[in-house]
Amino acid sequence: MNDGRFLSRLPGAHKTASGGQRSALGFHFRTIPMLDAGFIRDNLSAVKANCANRNATPDLDRIVALDDERKRLQRVADETKAKQNEISKKFPSAKTPEEKASLKEESGKLKEAVASTDALLKQVQLDLHAALMTVPNMTHPDAPVGRDPSSNKVVAEFGTKPNFDFKAKDHYDLIHELDLADLEAGAKVAGQRFYYLKNEGVLLELALVQYAMQTLIRHGFTPIITPDVARVEVLEGIGFMPRDNAETRQVYTIADTDLCLIATAEITLGGMHRDQVFDEADLPKKYVGLSHCFRTEAGAAGRDTRGLYRVHQFTKVEMFTFCTPEQGEAIHEQIRAIEEEIFNGLGIPFHVIDTCTGDLGGPAYRKYDLEAWMPGRGTAGDYGEITSTSNCTDFQARRLGIRYRPKEKKGGGLPFVHTLNGTAVACTRAMIAILENYQQADGTVRVPEVLQPWIGKDVIRAKKG
RNA sequence: GGAGAGGUGGCGGAGUGGUCGAUCGCGUUAGUCUCGAAAACUAAUUUACCCGAAAGGGUAACGAGGGUUCGAAUCCCUCCCUCUCCGCCA
């Protein structure tokens, strides 16, 4: 799904809870950006080209200049502090009051110098940080280049579109006729785009969750149920912008707290290991998380208003892995293969999209979407997104401070892990695909075989009366 | 929500104003020994940033932020978190 994440400027100073990256000033950044200034400096033309492909316009030259200034100020501050430390060391051996007084005076002057340099340094660090936050991830060389979704590339197709000898209904009609959900009650109680599931609608959701969980457990993923809320800084670490103004913000914030309702378990799964250092031997870590997802759908006014396609709350089973850079691409392919397995197992026709540069969003290095054929969508059926899997390389890990200790220590600091995520099942979208593809001429809907054990029947019929 | 106790390196746990980036134990890694392993012994073992080709040097960090001081893990203030007990509750 389109998570609605995008890059924008972060407000500069904000207090941190704990952890995070520490500068020489002791000042804490809540997050650090995907690309560090050194990388940008060394690869300036490549980064510029990448930003152009991604419709991003960070001021890269300014970043390099700010980094120069940062280094200069850091050196000045460090040297002054070194002098100050020397004076302190002399103090215990100072005998006379005069000696002590003169040491105090000297130290006092240095103290002022340090304070002013530190203030400048802090501002430069804030500016640099803010500028770096606007730089998107680099892009996989094989990802299609293009400005908008029209450049997305279909890389695989699975299943066969149903050939109905009747007029296909859309899921909205099926839900009402079979009494699987109550959208009116949802609107009355919580507002437009909320819903109650009912009857087999409930069983369908639970069955999808079970089916997805069981499949992922079979693939060695650790099952997790996560909180449905998370701190603002975790959202930012994952790449969301919860501090945006209310008109553009994609997530709900909880009044009088620094918490948000999560838009995906990617947030809570990714945040689970923030500020940690893994041993390389423990990687990859593969999780499958269940959560509710809440989205404001800002900017989607008037789109997909019918039925369950675009709602403010839904249930989702999400894959998330922490791994080494070397493992990342293979795991991305594995996650995509699992998504294909899940929807092939459900008997849903779908194709796979390799997302183009302009449509990637900030964190993703490469992204595949599965789009299911939905016979009731549009006038004669259309594809609708059902899953999405991204390789975020170290973009999120940098912001969340997640590193690993390599088996062979190479010197030069600990590398960041790579993170990948992918939808196993987003219940409402999967439900739409099932209802519309499995409908029959008599208005009933067959139950996909793999879900029957949990639903206890093979056909969903209209209720009597 | 109330009361109390705590937050130190991968883990455990010392340390109450300077010689502490931090005793010690465990773990991990390497070496010795061994046919091999274990045990024992020896050594290494936090991280970020800056300078440097490197060797090496500098700065910072003991939950977070601020304060006192020539000097703070250590004293003061604020906040966060964890644990125990009580209350409430699915």
Side-chain angles (χ1 to χ4, degrees), chain A residues 198-257:
Chain A
K198 290 174 71 181
N199 299 311
E200 292 92 342
V202 173
L203 299 180
L204 215 39
E205 169 152 322
L206 296 176
L208 284 165
V209 169
Q210 274 288 354
Y211 168 62
M213 276 290 175
Q214 299 292 347
T215 302
L216 268 297
I217 290 168
R218 221 166 38 239
H219 281 286
F221 285 62
T222 303
I224 302 277
I225 295 180
T226 85
D228 286 340
V229 301
R231 293 181 197 287
V232 164
E233 62 259 32
V234 175
L235 284 269
E236 287 174 340
I238 293 295
F240 285 84
M241 308 303 304
R243 288 164 202 275
D244 274 352
N245 61 47
E247 289 76 53
T248 56
R249 201 192 301 137
Q250 298 293 323
V251 293
Y252 292 98
T253 56
I254 302 177
D256 303 321
T257 71

Side-chain angles (χ1 to χ4, degrees), chain A residues 280 283-284 322-329 331 404 416-418:
Chain A
E280 181 174 350
L283 298 176
F322 302 86
C323 66
T324 66
E326 294 72 32
Q327 295 164 337
E329 288 203 35
I331 290 176
Y404 70 99
F416 291 98
V417 299
H418 280 199

Side-chain angles (χ1 to χ4, degrees), chain A residues 162 164 166-181 183 197-205 208 307-309 343 346-349 372-377 386 427-441 443-448 451 455 459-461 463:
Chain A
F164 295 132
F166 56 93
K167 169 94 175 94
K169 294 171 184 165
D170 76 354
H171 77 280
Y172 178 89
D173 288 337
L174 291 165
I175 280 168
H176 280 81
E177 289 167 16
L178 300 173
D179 199 18
L180 303 180
L183 305 180
L197 292 179
K198 290 174 71 181
N199 299 311
E200 292 92 342
V202 173
L203 299 180
L204 215 39
E205 169 152 322
L208 284 165
L308 298 175
Y309 190 83
F343 283 90
L346 286 169
I348 304 289
W373 178 250
M374 299 177 176
R377 189 164 165 75
I386 46 170
C427 287
T428 40
R429 294 273 173 103
M431 220 179 283
I432 292 168
I434 290 168
L435 293 173
E436 293 188 1
N437 281 289
Y438 277 82
Q439 62 181 303
Q440 305 187 97
T444 64
V445 171
R446 287 185 299 121
V447 176
L451 301 184
I455 295 184
V459 177
I460 302 172
R461 304 173 192 282
K463 288 22 169 206

Side-chain angles (χ1 to χ4, degrees), chain A residues 14 17 31 49 66 81 86 99 118 123 128 130 143 175 189 192 286 300 317 345 393 402 414-415 425 450:
Chain A
H14 28 248
T31 58
L66 281 168
K81 284 176 193 171
E86 267 179 54
E99 262 180 276
D118 273 356
Q123 190 54 52
L128 177 60
I175 280 168
V189 168
Q192 175 66 243
K286 300 182 178 182
V317 178
T393 62
I402 308 171
L414 298 178
V425 164
V450 294

Side-chain angles (χ1 to χ4, degrees), chain A residues 9 25 33 45 56 124 127 129 168-169 186 201 203 213 228 231 262 273 316 334 364 370 381 390 429 458:
Chain A
R9 206 161 45 77
L25 283 179
S45 59
V124 169
D127 292 346
H129 181 250
K169 294 171 184 165
L203 299 180
M213 276 290 175
D228 286 340
R231 293 181 197 287
I262 60 171
H273 291 297
K316 181 159 64 67
Q334 188 203 3
L370 263 56
S390 297
R429 294 273 173 103
D458 56 7

